[in-house]
Amino acid sequence: MNQPSTQPVRYQPLLRRVALLAGISFLLALLLTAYLFDTQDQFFSRLFGAFFVFFWLLAVTFLGAVPFVTWAATHWFGASWSDAAAAPTRRKRPLPVPPVPRKPARATARLNPTQHP
């Protein structure tokens, strides 16, 4: 019996991501539909439409576009380009400036406004 040479595909992480996206999509759709239309006529059909739109947009973005950009950066520009993180630049601390000595305030007599010449 011949064994396939490819590794088995693990669906557990993918299903977890899809379930998370579906939950977020349902929550966003429920909040949007309840805010805009309350629970009046055609609530469930509007909820289904909003859920479908949110799920489609999130799924295409996070399951398609983001992994493709990561793959393309690694394969087209090289692994060193995508893996090399910019080293944080260390800045020297500024030298502490000694406080400027203040002169004590002189006590001056206030002039009475009625005594002006």
Side-chain angles (χ1 to χ4, degrees), residues 3-85:
Q3 294 277 337
S5 63
T6 61
Q7 295 289 333
V9 178
R10 296 182 184 230
Y11 291 108
Q12 188 88 13
L14 182 62
L15 288 177
R16 188 178 301 131
R17 288 180 186 168
V18 169
L20 181 66
L21 290 177
I24 292 171
S25 300
F26 182 74
L27 181 67
L28 287 174
L30 184 65
L31 290 173
L32 179 70
T33 306
Y35 176 72
L36 291 177
F37 303 109
D38 201 26
T39 55
Q40 296 176 357
D41 58 339
Q42 301 175 351
F43 175 76
F44 291 107
S45 63
R46 292 174 197 240
L47 179 65
F48 176 73
F51 168 75
F52 181 73
V53 168
F54 278 124
F55 182 74
W56 183 252
L57 289 174
L58 290 175
V60 166
T61 301
F62 292 110
L63 299 177
V66 173
F68 173 73
V69 169
T70 304
W71 175 86
T74 302
H75 286 80
W76 293 347
F77 299 116
S80 63
W81 185 82
S82 65
D83 291 340

Side-chain angles (χ1 to χ4, degrees), residues 98-112:
V100 178
R102 294 187 173 185
K103 294 180 182 176
R106 286 188 274 162
T108 58
R110 289 190 172 206
L111 298 175
N112 192 351

